[in-house]
Amino acid sequence: MGKSETAWPATPPGPAPEGAATAARALTERLRASVDNRWMLLLAGPVLAGALVITLLRELPENPLAVAADGLCATTSHLGWVATQAGEPAALARSGAMVGARLATLRVAAANADVELPEITLLESRLAALGPRPTGAEMFAIADAADRVGAAVRRELVQRQHRLERWVTGLALALAVALLLPLHGLWRQRQRLRRALADYSDTLERKADAPAVDDSVSERRWRALAELSADWYWETDEQMRLSWVSGATPVTTVLGWPADELIGRRRDEMGPFETPALGWDWLHERMARQQAFRDFELRAHSRRGDHTLWIALSGRPRHDAAGRCTGYEGVGRDITERKLAYERQRENDQRWALMVDLASDWYWESDAEHRLQPVGRAVYRSAVDYLEPGDGRTRWELHATTPAELWQPHREDLEARRPFRSFEFPTDAADGTRHWVSISGIARFDGQGRFLGYRGVGRDITMRKQAEGLLRRDNEALQQAVAERTRELEQINVDLDAFSRQLAHELRTPIGHVESIARLVVDRAAARLDDDERRLLALQSQAARTMRETLDALMLLARSTVQAMPMERVDLSRLAEEASAQLPSIARSAPVNWRIQPGLQVHGCPQALRIVLANLMGNAAKFTRHVEQPAVRLSAGTDDDGRLRVVVEDNGAGFDPALAGRLFVPFSRLHAGEDYAGTGVGLSIVQRIVERHGGTVAGHGRPGRGARFEFTLAPAP
């Protein structure tokens, strides 16, 4: 890829103009031969590849296998806590079910990641061997097996991380090797250009010493060199009016000002230039005293006023052979990029200073030995003397009152060069008060990857800690009050249950006596009784039976509120079939056509759900007794929130939609008792049981067109 070196030819004897022309042509050819754009193309390839690799590595999504393993570990921790607290078998079973769900997610993630872990199969077999009421010891064994699964996943992830690191290291080495070749070629190209310009300068000097040099040829060569330079050359006359400027000036090429509007005028008379910060007088005074100046900054705008540039001028006086000053000569340079970068840096510094003044946090830095470094008192303006003075000590030396064991995990993070966030520690202020500090930091490295220390932010969290302590004490007091109130309510419920049982027992005896006496009178005095007397005794017996049924319904309603409800997986379809088969027979026009959706699985209490289905399906059977083709259907579907919505609908008598609000009120009946007997308590019992399952129940209907009752339950896990 390199070019062959071109040497300046020696000046041959003969006329000077021919030698100067030869040198100019040689310079042009040598510059053209030295510039090779292919090195830039070769350099762009590895740079773009490296940027693409870095972007892809930064955009790598989170590993689903790691997420699944973290979820299993969290569920295992909860399972261990439940087992440690000697929880009920139902709670243990729920925790085991959660572990099974997390394990299934982990198996899917492992399969997608092409990872085979025999520990997952072992844990699945143990979960499958659990009974419906597992013990704490079994749950501890499950937790240990789950921990081994998590450890195996972490080992696999660490191995894959190591492989990825080796791959990235190899790729970085390959890119570095690929960068060396174009960089070496550009360096050699730069050396050739410098040698070419140096040789040409020597040639010009030799031509100047020659007795017969053609000034026009030297002028052309000099102008060619000026045009190829990044800067431009300018000259003024004795009155400091611009007399000549090279064609490379951006005032004409970029800003669009024609040269004839610049030549013959001083710079303060030219249209492009704005008044400089030092003023025009400063420049005029130096030029009047024939003093050189360097990097005099001017701001120039375009002819249309839509674009500006920053220009730096440097100049010196020019003298003739007699030593008389004939004007100034110098160079100009476009410093727009540098000026804009400086302005951006100044704005960033101002923004940083403003944030420091307004923020409640403070900034800190440490060296490679973790000693705090001073970063300016303005940074600590929001802090006080007990925080970070930055006097060259480590943080654990500075805050000596903080327990040493609290620093151990923090120092491990620092030694491992890991970033840390919200590390909290207590410390004492100069006045002896206790404060809490929270710090966050990240390691910093130089261009060669050498560790330089840490930088980060800190915050005084004393008020938050005090609020947390107060909230914790209030929570403890509230929990204690709730526990005491719960115990009182439990005792009240026990007392009420005992009272209701005793009351029911006491009421059943006289009710039974009334019914028995009425039956005994009918049996013994049947011959002496007329029809009215028999009807009165029948009414008395019916009233006693109604009172006994009402009493039983009240007891069932009370028990539906306080009875224990152990939750498990329930086959709702099978319960519905059993409930329909156990309904009492009643006189009806035709048998009921039961249509029960199979395979409905829910999470609930089997005994309580049996009561719910018995009431709803019993009502459906009762209110279709006069229908020629009675049909009752039980089906279910999933709601948007994931719960199962169960529907029991019939084609019976129905009810007025305006009276739907009275359906679940105890003893509220929408139909006459002569046609449809009942106590009016069944739907109230259904509502209380469903609500204790965390669901809702609703009824819909139209007179003569049937009724539909819906209730929601949690699906089986």
Side-chain angles (χ1 to χ4, degrees):
M1 299 294 295
K3 297 291 184 179
S4 60
E5 299 290 343
T6 303
W8 286 101
T11 304
E18 181 180 356
T22 303
R25 286 194 298 272
L27 174 65
T28 303
E29 293 297 329
R30 190 172 181 181
L31 291 176
R32 184 182 297 111
S34 299
V35 177
D36 192 349
N37 293 328
R38 286 178 292 178
W39 292 119
M40 296 300 297
L41 295 177
L42 288 177
L43 181 63
V47 171
L48 292 177
L52 179 60
V53 170
I54 293 174
T55 303
L56 292 177
L57 289 177
R58 289 173 59 90
E59 297 296 329
L60 281 177
E62 190 173 4
N63 195 334
L65 186 59
V67 174
D70 291 341
L72 179 62
C73 291
T75 307
T76 303
S77 299
H78 180 266
L79 174 61
W81 178 84
V82 172
T84 303
Q85 298 296 323
E88 297 181 356
L92 294 175
R94 288 194 299 272
S95 299
M98 293 172 61
V99 172
R102 294 290 188 181
L103 185 61
T105 304
L106 179 59
R107 175 170 283 281
V108 172
N112 294 336
D114 195 17
V115 176
E116 295 183 1
L117 297 175
E119 289 84 354
I120 296 179
T121 305
L122 178 59
L123 181 56
E124 288 178 340
S125 63
R126 290 196 174 185
L127 286 173
L130 288 178
R133 299 176 67 82
T135 64
E138 293 176 335
M139 291 295 103
F140 276 125
I142 292 297
D144 292 339
D147 288 338
R148 288 193 292 273
V149 171
V153 172
R154 285 191 292 272
R155 288 195 300 271
E156 178 64 26
L157 292 176
V158 168
Q159 293 176 359
R160 292 195 171 196
Q161 183 66 24
H162 289 168
R163 290 195 295 270
L164 179 60
E165 290 176 354
R166 290 193 295 270
W167 181 82
V168 171
T169 302
L171 181 59
L173 292 175
L175 290 176
V177 172
L179 283 171
L180 290 177
L181 180 62
L183 288 176
H184 178 69
L186 290 173
W187 178 81
R188 292 188 58 189
Q189 178 175 296
R190 179 174 176 271
Q191 294 297 108
R192 289 194 297 271
L193 288 173
R194 293 184 63 179
R195 285 194 296 271
L197 293 176
D199 293 345
Y200 183 68
S201 177
D202 294 340
T203 302
L204 290 179
E205 291 179 358
R206 290 195 299 271
K207 297 305 178 182
D209 295 336
V213 176
D214 190 348
D215 292 338
S216 62
V217 174
S218 299
E219 180 71 13
R220 286 197 302 272
R221 293 173 179 174
W222 186 89
R223 288 177 181 273
L225 181 62
E227 294 294 338
L228 293 174
S229 176
D231 300 339
W232 65 91
Y233 181 78
W234 56 267
E235 291 181 358
T236 67
D237 58 13
E238 297 179 6
Q239 287 73 35
M240 308 309 167
R241 296 184 297 240
L242 188 67
S243 60
W244 183 83
V245 63
S246 65
T249 171
V251 178
T252 57
T253 59
V254 177
L255 300 182
W257 290 89
D260 56 0
E261 294 187 15
L262 305 178
I263 301 298
R265 298 181 181 181
R266 297 189 311 182
R267 284 189 170 80
D268 58 342
E269 299 172 346
M270 296 179 186
F273 298 110
E274 301 176 0
T275 302
L278 297 177
W280 292 112
D281 292 339
W282 180 90
L283 179 62
H284 294 160
E285 290 176 1
R286 294 189 69 88
M287 297 178 76
R289 293 196 297 266
Q290 299 182 12
Q291 294 178 346
F293 59 90
R294 181 175 294 275
D295 293 332
F296 181 72
E297 296 182 357
L298 293 173
R299 186 177 182 182
H301 59 82
S302 64
R303 188 177 181 84
R304 294 183 298 178
D306 57 350
H307 185 56
T308 59
L309 292 177
W310 281 92
I311 295 172
L313 299 178
S314 299
R316 66 181 182 182
R318 186 179 71 252
H319 300 84
D320 58 10
R324 185 176 62 87
C325 179
T326 60
Y328 263 74
E329 62 184 0
V331 294
R333 176 175 297 176
D334 185 354
I335 60 170
T336 304
E337 291 297 328
R338 189 191 73 186
K339 195 70 174 178
L340 293 178
Y342 170 77
E343 293 294 335
R344 287 193 296 268
Q345 182 63 35
R346 189 164 62 89
E347 291 177 0
N348 290 335
D349 292 342
Q350 293 176 349
R351 188 181 300 113
W352 164 251
L354 179 62
M355 291 177 61
V356 167
D357 288 339
L358 299 179
S360 59
D361 299 346
W362 66 89
Y363 176 79
W364 59 267
E365 281 188 3
S366 65
D367 60 12
E369 302 299 328
H370 310 301
R371 294 172 300 207
L372 294 174
Q373 301 298 304
V375 289
R377 288 304 306 173
V379 177
Y380 300 125
R381 194 173 302 161
S382 59
V384 291
D385 59 346
Y386 62 87
L387 297 180
E388 306 291 357
D391 59 356
R393 289 181 292 173
T394 62
R395 189 170 280 113
W396 44 91
E397 294 172 346
L398 181 63
H399 304 284
T401 58
T402 303
E405 59 272 10
L406 189 61
W407 293 112
Q408 185 60 32
H410 175 63
R411 296 180 67 173
E412 292 176 356
D413 287 339
L414 296 181
E415 294 302 328
R417 313 289 190 260
R418 292 191 294 262
F420 60 90
R421 181 178 295 277
S422 300
F423 171 68
E424 301 174 357
F425 61 91
T427 186
D428 291 335
D431 57 1
T433 58
R434 175 54 62 98
H435 291 263
W436 277 86
V437 177
S438 174
I439 58 174
S440 301
I442 188 171
R444 52 194 180 95
F445 302 88
D446 62 8
Q448 286 72 38
R450 291 189 297 267
F451 175 67
L452 300 179
Y454 269 80
R455 65 162 57 99
V457 294
R459 172 176 294 184
D460 185 357
I461 59 170
T462 305
M463 296 296 294
R464 193 193 79 189
K465 283 294 184 179
Q466 293 174 351
E468 289 177 356
L470 181 61
L471 181 61
R472 183 168 55 254
R473 290 192 296 270
D474 291 344
N475 285 338
E476 292 174 356
L478 179 61
Q479 291 176 0
Q480 184 177 0
V482 169
E484 293 176 356
R485 184 59 177 165
T486 302
R487 286 194 296 271
E488 293 176 0
L489 292 176
E490 290 176 351
Q491 184 61 40
I492 292 174
N493 286 334
V494 171
D495 295 341
L496 288 176
D497 185 59
F499 173 76
S500 61
R501 292 178 183 275
Q502 183 64 28
L503 180 62
H505 176 72
E506 295 296 333
L507 290 177
R508 281 194 181 95
T509 300
I511 292 173
H513 289 168
V514 171
E515 187 177 6
S516 300
I517 291 173
R519 190 182 306 110
L520 185 60
V521 170
V522 172
D523 292 341
R524 292 186 177 182
R528 299 193 302 271
L529 298 176
D530 56 18
D531 293 340
D532 290 337
E533 292 170 341
R534 291 189 183 91
R535 187 168 59 255
L536 291 175
L537 289 173
L539 290 175
Q540 179 179 346
S541 300
Q542 180 62 36
R545 286 194 299 273
T546 302
M547 186 177 296
R548 187 176 66 251
E549 292 174 357
T550 302
L551 183 61
D552 293 338
L554 283 173
M555 290 297 298
L556 185 60
L557 180 61
R559 285 196 296 271
S560 68
T561 305
V562 299
Q563 68 178 0
M565 299 182 65
M567 301 293 184
E568 60 183 59
R569 187 184 183 93
V570 179
D571 187 346
L572 197 67
S573 300
R574 182 178 60 81
L575 278 184
E577 293 174 355
E578 294 176 356
S580 63
Q582 295 173 1
L583 291 176
S585 60
I586 57 176
R588 53 186 316 113
S589 300
V592 179
N593 179 18
W594 298 99
R595 289 178 288 180
I596 299 173
Q597 180 178 336
L600 299 180
Q601 303 289 327
V602 298
H603 183 68
C605 177
Q607 295 77 12
L609 293 180
R610 187 185 301 274
I611 297 174
V612 171
L613 294 175
N615 277 282
L616 293 179
M617 301 182 78
N619 284 347
K622 177 171 61 177
F623 288 105
T624 57
R625 57 182 299 189
H626 300 305
V627 178
E628 295 181 357
Q629 295 181 348
V632 179
R633 184 170 66 92
L634 184 143
S635 59
T638 304
D639 284 350
D640 295 337
D641 58 357
R643 297 184 66 85
L644 198 67
R645 180 172 295 275
V646 184
V647 179
V648 178
E649 54 184 338
D650 60 68
N651 60 348
F655 57 86
D656 188 355
L659 303 178
R662 296 169 48 190
L663 286 173
F664 302 100
V665 178
F667 304 107
S668 178
R669 305 180 69 246
L670 305 185
H671 299 82
E674 293 79 3
D675 296 330
Y676 305 102
T679 61
V681 182
L683 290 180
S684 300
I685 296 174
V686 169
Q687 184 184 40
R688 295 191 181 185
I689 293 176
V690 171
E691 289 178 350
R692 291 191 65 188
H693 279 76
T696 59
V697 61
H700 311 277
R702 295 181 63 183
R705 303 189 64 177
R708 184 178 79 256
F709 287 88
E710 303 175 352
F711 60 95
T712 59
L713 295 171

